[in-house]
Amino acid sequence: MSSIAQVQRQAYGKANVRVTKAIRHSAEWNDIVELTCQVLLEGEFEEAYTKADNSKIVPTDTVKNTCFIVAKKSNHVQTIERYGYEIGQHFIDRYDHVTHAHVHILQERWARINVKGEPHPHSFYRDGSETRQTWVTVTADSVNIKSGLDGLLVLKTTGSSFTNFHRCENTTLQDADDRIFSTTIKAHYNIDTSLGVENIPFDRIFDGVRKTTLDVFAHDDSASVQATMYRMAELILKRFPEVKDVHYALPNTHYFTANLAPFKLPNSGQEMTIFSPITDFSGLITATIGRSSSKI
């Protein structure tokens, strides 16, 4: 009697593998890299589900150990795309029945402590909650890489407005000619890997995406979150031909003007200085901006 059930897709592996590597350039000058890895495998594992046959299952403990072993041997752990590719390629090369290796790596942000105006050779501090991330999928004949940043909290006290928006019977929002603009930036981008993983300047691209995002946020006279994120992505696509598209998710954290009129204190126009942060809801603006197919 045949089963009414069929495995349509599966993947398994190890999540939350914490890997920290001290890179010792010399006895004194060190770097530190702290990563959280997830590795999921796809392949010929159907009978493990349908027949309780574990003969092809690569244990998740082996997956975890591989993250450490590759990190120990690798010269590219600081470039998480290269490290993720090395992990994925290991599973494709080592196990004929593995068809896809999906690797997600999150990197914490450590920065050098300055002592007497000079960066200390081996002492660091955690530089906020921002993370660098990559998603790498390796098969026998392809590699797909998406990278980006998350948790970059920014705020500007002026240079942002929101006016002339659509109004209906449910609208209470008033025009804002000047307002606080604060958001926690999530920016992801897909990379063209056709040149070969070893030829792509992943660190330069990441640093450039981050810098472009911050520069535009600071300098753009923002008419809306939508318009600002489009300018960010447009500049990134101009500057980095390896980037195929850019996805932004910007929650618009609201700071409402406090009403001080009952206390006979001015708090509007040029004298608007007191605000109340709103934490229980926020706008959420997203967009994926790719390359135009039109010829200019």
Side-chain angles (χ1 to χ4, degrees), residues 76 78-83 85 132 134-136 143-148 189-193 196-209 240 242-243:
H76 303 293
Q78 285 178 289
T79 303
I80 57 175
E81 292 87 354
R82 293 288 298 273
Y83 173 52
Y85 173 71
R132 176 177 175 177
T134 192
W135 294 258
V136 181
V143 55
N144 292 300
I145 299 178
K146 178 176 74 173
S147 294
Y189 48 91
N190 284 295
I191 296 176
D192 181 358
T193 60
V197 172
E198 66 281 358
N199 297 317
I200 299 171
F202 293 108
D203 294 335
R204 183 174 65 82
I205 293 169
F206 175 80
D207 291 340
V209 167
F240 301 101
E242 303 91 347
V243 174

Side-chain angles (χ1 to χ4, degrees), residues 195-245:
L195 293 176
V197 172
E198 66 281 358
N199 297 317
I200 299 171
F202 293 108
D203 294 335
R204 183 174 65 82
I205 293 169
F206 175 80
D207 291 340
V209 167
R210 186 176 188 274
K211 185 177 187 303
T212 300
T213 298
L214 290 173
D215 286 351
V216 173
F217 176 82
H219 293 112
D220 182 45
D221 190 6
S222 178
S224 67
V225 179
Q226 289 88 338
T228 298
M229 70 165 56
Y230 180 83
R231 292 189 179 99
M232 292 171 175
E234 186 178 35
L235 267 179
I236 289 167
L237 293 172
K238 286 180 179 178
R239 291 171 175 172
F240 301 101
E242 303 91 347
V243 174
K244 297 194 291 186
D245 55 53

Side-chain angles (χ1 to χ4, degrees), residues 38-50:
Q38 174 180 286
V39 181
L40 300 179
L41 306 178
E42 284 189 63
E44 300 169 15
F45 301 113
E46 183 175 348
E47 291 188 353
Y49 296 84
T50 61

Side-chain angles (χ1 to χ4, degrees), residues 53-247:
D53 180 356
N54 293 334
S55 60
K56 289 189 175 182
I57 292 289
V58 180
T60 63
D61 187 66
T62 301
V63 175
K64 177 259 295 177
N65 291 340
T66 300
C67 293
F68 293 123
I69 292 165
V70 173
K72 179 64 176 179
K73 296 179 177 180
S74 176
N75 294 320
H76 303 293
V77 176
Q78 285 178 289
T79 303
I80 57 175
E81 292 87 354
R82 293 288 298 273
Y83 173 52
Y85 173 71
E86 290 173 347
I87 293 172
Q89 195 64 55
H90 167 85
F91 287 103
I92 296 299
D93 292 342
R94 178 63 180 80
Y95 307 102
D96 291 339
H97 58 289
V98 174
T99 60
H100 297 72
H102 305 281
V103 183
H104 174 224
I105 299 175
L106 179 152
Q107 180 179 6
E108 305 289 353
R109 189 174 178 88
W110 286 103
R112 291 188 185 276
I113 296 173
N114 282 321
V115 179
K116 296 181 179 178
E118 297 293 333
H120 196 273
H122 54 255
S123 297
F124 306 85
Y125 68 94
R126 176 61 57 79
D127 189 7
S129 59
E130 176 194 350
T131 59
R132 176 177 175 177
Q133 300 188 40
T134 192
W135 294 258
V136 181
T137 295
V138 182
T139 71
D141 55 10
S142 69
V143 55
N144 292 300
I145 299 178
K146 178 176 74 173
S147 294
L149 60 88
D150 198 358
L152 177 55
L153 179 60
V154 295
L155 181 149
K156 61 195 293 186
T157 57
T158 189
S160 174
S161 63
F162 189 55
T163 62
N164 301 317
F165 45 83
H166 187 276
R167 288 177 168 83
C168 68
E169 64 277 8
N170 295 333
T171 303
T172 59
L173 186 68
Q174 301 298 308
D175 281 350
D177 295 316
D178 195 18
R179 61 177 183 170
I180 285 180
F181 180 5
S182 180
T183 185
T184 303
I185 296 171
K186 176 188 290 185
H188 296 160
Y189 48 91
N190 284 295
I191 296 176
D192 181 358
T193 60
S194 61
L195 293 176
V197 172
E198 66 281 358
N199 297 317
I200 299 171
F202 293 108
D203 294 335
R204 183 174 65 82
I205 293 169
F206 175 80
D207 291 340
V209 167
R210 186 176 188 274
K211 185 177 187 303
T212 300
T213 298
L214 290 173
D215 286 351
V216 173
F217 176 82
H219 293 112
D220 182 45
D221 190 6
S222 178
S224 67
V225 179
Q226 289 88 338
T228 298
M229 70 165 56
Y230 180 83
R231 292 189 179 99
M232 292 171 175
E234 186 178 35
L235 267 179
I236 289 167
L237 293 172
K238 286 180 179 178
R239 291 171 175 172
F240 301 101
E242 303 91 347
V243 174
K244 297 194 291 186
D245 55 53
V246 184
H247 174 80

